[in-house]
Amino acid sequence: MIKIIENNSELGAGTRGASLGVNALKVVSRTKEDQFFSQFKIDEIALENQMLDLPTNFPFAKRIDGIVKIFGRTMDAVKQASLDGDFPLVLSGDHSSAGGTIAGIKAAFPNKRLGVVWIDAHADLHTPYTTPSGNVHGMPLATALAADNVDFQINEVKDETLAHWESLKNMGGIAPKVNPEDLIFIAVRDTEAPEDAFLKAQNIRNFTVEEIRDKSKEWVAGQVENLLKDCDIIYISFDVDSMDSILVSKGTGTPVENGLTPEEANYFVNHFAALEKVKCVEFVEINPCLDDKINKMAETAYPILQSVCETLNNRL
């Protein structure tokens, strides 16, 4: 049975409003009067968003002290859902949440090799050493890989920040949680030099939008499955900014042009959700406060969410 884990934290974002993303989806459902959310058990993560009203002492990992708490709560919720035999479908605000989600999957399946399919415009591989912004929603995969990327350091990071950073990397007592060869990107197209260097050094595969159009989405999906064939379990992270900001909407924290169409995004999320190895799916970064088309991003993501739930129900 699907269990929705609702994480409305936006501590890791650089703009405000991601905490309203899940409710934006609920607005669409209520407007349609389809009672979609009433069919699921829902576990709401306790928040620390009041910290946004205060200054942060961690310029290279803003509000990381609160994010450590959110990571832990998310980890516990995902782990418990998995151990209870439920399928955790995580609906989150900003993408920093994914580090806690991955920790929860690994805590539930500590002896399983975990693969990650990251459908996103961004690689989210920054660390406090490399970040140009200090926003932790650009760092969740680095926590999962237990990577510092100090070879490309641009920041002098204080010990207190690093102590919290170590807590994120070691959440659940397992580090790393994912191996670089078990991380696959789809539609990543907005990265900085330290991330590019890490991607190249670790030989991490990114299937670009151009490649998808040239070789077909079906070909890409098959390649992803083959690359992750040795993984026991898989996690799917769907950031709505993977979709084209001009075609769809700018209703996300960091919109990027030349992305996936909604149809392509829907295909990938559903294709992978149908696989028995997939143990968790997460939707992130809907921000109605930034939406230039009222609530278009949530209206676009909502049918993808519905179809994913139908796909999951057909296999569970």
Side-chain angles (χ1 to χ4, degrees), residues 199-266:
L199 284 165
K200 184 177 180 180
Q202 299 296 328
N203 197 29
I204 296 172
R205 187 67 162 92
N206 174 36
F207 290 95
T208 65
V209 175
E210 291 76 15
E211 192 169 11
I212 292 164
R213 306 272 165 79
D214 181 50
K215 297 183 178 179
S216 84
K217 58 186 183 294
E218 293 83 5
W219 180 86
V220 169
Q223 291 294 304
V224 172
E225 285 190 59
N226 185 59
L227 288 167
L228 298 181
K229 66 181 184 301
D230 294 329
C231 292
D232 303 304
I233 57 175
I234 297 173
Y235 157 68
I236 309 300
S237 185
F238 172 52
D239 188 323
V240 297
D241 71 22
S242 62
M243 296 188 290
D244 191 294
S245 63
I246 301 300
L247 179 65
V248 179
S249 161
K250 295 184 179 180
T252 185
T254 43
V256 184
E257 298 178 17
N258 302 314
L260 300 174
T261 66
E263 293 75 20
E264 289 166 338
N266 184 69

Side-chain angles (χ1 to χ4, degrees), residues 125-131 146-157 165 169 192-202:
L125 285 167
H126 275 298
T127 78
Y129 295 105
T130 69
T131 176
D148 293 328
N149 203 12
V150 290
D151 289 343
F152 299 92
Q153 179 175 354
I154 62 173
N155 303 318
E156 293 297 328
V157 188
W165 179 243
K169 291 192 299 180
E192 283 84 32
E195 293 178 301
D196 293 335
F198 187 84
L199 284 165
K200 184 177 180 180
Q202 299 296 328

